[in-house]
Amino acid sequence: MNSTFNWKPEQTLWEKVINLASERGQSPESIISEAVRLYVETQSLELVNDDVSDPLIGLFSANPDLAIKSEDILQNDVSEKSGWTWKETHQ
């Protein structure tokens, strides 16, 4: 099935598509088709994930190197208010 539509992208975006197509030896149409296909697949996956309301799922999604990189992760997340602090007295 062939479909045609009129699309007027921003000039810089169009130049990027042309350059990428040239680098890959593909047509701009194939680059755009691939981009749209990836976008639609990603959106479909997000819709499936949104339907799942199991709160425990977040507990199990993490970097596979968590055990190895745990110290680095903690170090990057340390802020001025991290750790033990004295509570301010309310008077």
Side-chain angles (χ1 to χ4, degrees):
M1 178 177 112
N2 285 339
S3 296
T4 304
F5 63 93
N6 189 7
W7 177 51
K8 295 182 181 181
E10 297 172 6
Q11 185 64 29
T12 56
L13 178 59
W14 180 242
E15 289 170 2
K16 289 179 183 181
V17 169
I18 296 294
N19 289 337
L20 183 60
S22 176
E23 289 172 10
R24 290 186 174 185
Q26 298 176 319
S27 67
E29 292 82 3
S30 65
I31 297 294
I32 293 168
S33 293
E34 180 183 349
V36 170
R37 185 173 26 262
L38 290 171
Y39 178 80
V40 169
E41 289 172 1
T42 301
Q43 293 302 308
S44 297
L45 290 174
E46 286 179 9
L47 290 175
V48 169
N49 289 338
D50 288 344
D51 291 341
V52 179
S53 61
D54 187 349
L56 292 177
I57 289 177
L59 293 176
F60 301 104
S61 62
N63 187 328
D65 297 335
L66 182 60
I68 297 168
K69 296 182 177 179
S70 62
E71 292 297 322
D72 294 334
I73 292 169
L74 289 172
Q75 186 66 35
N76 289 335
D77 289 341
V78 170
S79 70
E80 199 173 289
K81 296 192 178 216
S82 297
W84 295 94
T85 60
W86 291 98
K87 295 199 184 284
E88 295 179 20
T89 56
H90 295 285
Q91 294 181 16

